[in-house]
Amino acid sequence: MTWFQDAKFGIFMHWGAYSVPAWAEPIGELGTFDSEFWFAHCPYAEWYWNTSQIPGSAAFSHHQTVHGGRPYDSFLDSWRAENFDPADLASLFARAGARYVVPTTKHHDGITLWDAPGTGTRNTVHRGPRRDLVASIADASRAAGLRFGVYYSGGIDWFAGRRAVIRHEDQIDDHGRANEAAYAAYALRHVQDLITRYSPDILWNDIGWPDQGLVDLPGLFAFYRADVPHGIVNDRWDGTHACRPDVAYDFRTSEYQANRSVEGSGPWENCRGIGFSFGYNQAEDASHSLSVAGAVRQLADVVSRGGNLLLNVGPRADGTLPPTQRDVLEGMAEWMAVNSVAIHDTRPLDGASSSDSPWLRWTRSGNHAYALIAETGEVRLPHLAGLLDAGSALRLDGRPVAARAVAEGTAVTLGEIGDLPIVVRFDLVS
């Protein structure tokens, strides 16, 4: 797990036929709404096929009014990816400080982004973009020095598996997940094919695995690790955000504000979009999205608590990133160019206290501690006595910083810094 725990930052990419309608209600973050309200007003544009089938929902009305109730699969043929430049995107991700990329290879709509076995022509090689998008992203990511993982929707497939409309989280296991033996064999062939073709560094499954196929998972993981000895798997192989004790996993996952109880229990990763959706949502604007400062603070907070951040981008149907998303990554790139040493290859700092007022987070690497601070004037940094050498204080951006030991830790005096955190490095005494 060392490479994963050192990486700290990855890019999620949700891209599919749902980027053509590209619409959802931007109501807020997962984990902050009642389940029944959530599904009827789902802000995830990648769930458009499901939400647009719920009578009375805004998505249902939108689909009838704007798209005339057209069949969902027609969006696959309208998805062209004509301006997709994977090398440009991979370069941006690397500059932003990401060390791995995880694109969707098949989301809940069942459309695969490679010529997956058993899909016939219902994939991006034969329709729509007419190319192997998984290979394009894998090749570009690795050429940019990034590791490459694959997301696969194992539990839900609205085409090859069950087609029931989901109106509540309880219905996912009741009738939403595809549990039949034929689908289990279908999904198994897909993941085996992804391993054989692309040797992904991460297998990132979602919404569980078919009940009839759980017996196959130990063999699948053995097959995977024989091909990719350093490869790792997430925890979403049985149930929505859970995993049975007898189904191995390497890291736990939270999503926005949901399932946060797993954070801090061994290796973990928080995933979220720059906005409220993973797939591109044309109804979102900057008011629904993280700012550059918000994204940097999210990354710093997750890393200070021992986790990784998997920050999602959702390209438009033509393959380009919406300006709001690109601007956030460009801003992160500027900050990381100076401060990445406080993020990459770090671990939490024991003996020091974080706070939100003033905003303060801590990391450590080797013999150094890093205080990430978003405050001006004199700031008290609480920590155990004798932990840091105040005389060693150094701002990573090269500007001077005055520091002195105080009873509760160290006090630093900072000039105007704006919204983005600055980083002060200290030598560790013990």
Side-chain angles (χ1 to χ4, degrees), residues 26-28 272-277 281 283-290 324:
I27 59 171
R272 61 155 297 149
I274 290 175
F276 298 142
S277 177
N281 181 9
E284 287 186 344
D285 57 32
S287 69
H288 307 110
S289 301
L290 292 172
T324 297

Side-chain angles (χ1 to χ4, degrees), residues 327-404:
D327 288 348
V328 166
L329 293 183
E330 292 285 6
M332 294 183 78
E334 291 184 18
W335 188 86
M336 290 289 278
V338 174
N339 299 297
S340 64
V341 67
I343 300 295
H344 294 144
D345 309 309
T346 63
R347 297 294 185 270
L349 176 65
D350 294 330
S353 300
S354 297
S355 68
D356 289 331
S357 184
W359 195 93
L360 168 66
R361 299 293 187 271
W362 295 92
T363 62
R364 68 167 293 167
S365 179
N367 294 321
H368 293 128
Y370 300 94
L372 297 94
I373 311 165
E375 188 61 82
T376 57
E378 183 175 273
V379 183
R380 298 294 177 105
L381 311 180
H383 59 80
L384 293 176
L387 181 66
L388 308 179
D389 175 9
S392 68
L394 174 70
R395 277 183 61 157
L396 294 186
D397 62 9
R399 296 173 62 184
V401 55
R404 59 188 177 87

Side-chain angles (χ1 to χ4, degrees), residues 98-299:
R99 286 188 167 177
Y100 58 99
V101 177
V102 183
T104 53
T105 65
K106 186 199 78 170
H107 206 265
H108 309 331
D109 61 10
I111 295 170
T112 62
L113 277 68
W114 88 106
D115 191 9
T119 59
T121 62
R122 199 173 182 269
N123 57 64
T124 62
V125 175
H126 294 279
R127 293 169 63 183
R130 295 189 180 276
R131 63 190 291 187
D132 184 335
L133 295 174
V134 178
S136 296
I137 299 168
D139 292 346
S141 298
R142 286 168 168 154
L146 304 171
R147 291 185 183 267
F148 175 76
V150 293
Y151 166 106
Y152 185 83
S153 176
I156 291 181
D157 189 315
W158 293 318
F159 184 83
R162 300 188 187 189
R163 297 173 177 80
V165 177
I166 299 168
R167 294 177 171 85
H168 193 282
E169 187 172 4
D170 292 344
Q171 295 177 336
I172 292 178
D173 284 339
D174 291 344
H175 65 255
R177 282 200 302 130
N179 291 318
E180 58 270 19
Y183 174 73
Y186 175 83
L188 180 64
R189 289 198 305 273
H190 282 188
V191 177
Q192 289 172 333
D193 195 52
L194 287 168
I195 294 167
T196 300
R197 290 183 189 236
Y198 311 111
S199 298
D201 299 288
I202 303 173
L203 287 184
W204 213 105
N205 187 62
D206 202 11
I207 316 287
W209 194 253
D211 289 349
Q212 298 297 316
L214 289 173
V215 67
D216 299 321
L217 290 182
L220 175 64
F221 295 161
F223 173 74
Y224 173 48
R225 291 189 168 108
D227 187 80
V228 188
H230 62 270
I232 57 176
V233 299
N234 73 340
D235 61 342
R236 300 189 184 189
W237 295 86
D238 182 35
T240 306
H241 293 149
C243 198
R244 296 187 338 187
D246 60 332
V247 177
Y249 61 84
D250 294 305
F251 65 97
R252 305 302 303 272
T253 58
S254 59
E255 184 172 327
Y256 286 95
Q257 302 304 318
N259 210 41
R260 294 195 58 183
S261 62
V262 307
E263 296 179 358
S265 56
W268 60 275
E269 176 187 75
N270 175 254
C271 67
R272 61 155 297 149
I274 290 175
F276 298 142
S277 177
F278 287 95
Y280 168 54
N281 181 9
Q282 60 183 316
E284 287 186 344
D285 57 32
S287 69
H288 307 110
S289 301
L290 292 172
S291 62
V292 175
V296 169
R297 291 190 188 200
Q298 178 78 7
L299 174 62

Side-chain angles (χ1 to χ4, degrees), residues 2-3 48 78 85 136 151 180 236 281 308 323 374 390:
T2 302
W3 76 260
Y48 183 81
S78 300
D85 186 342
S136 296
Y151 166 106
E180 58 270 19
R236 300 189 184 189
N281 181 9
N308 285 23

Side-chain angles (χ1 to χ4, degrees), residues 27-59:
I27 59 171
E29 296 188 7
L30 178 68
T32 61
F33 295 92
D34 169 80
S35 180
E36 189 168 356
F37 181 87
W38 170 266
F39 281 97
H41 302 271
C42 185
Y44 286 1
E46 67 276 13
W47 276 72
Y48 183 81
W49 195 1
N50 187 80
T51 316
S52 65
Q53 294 181 79
I54 301 177
S57 71

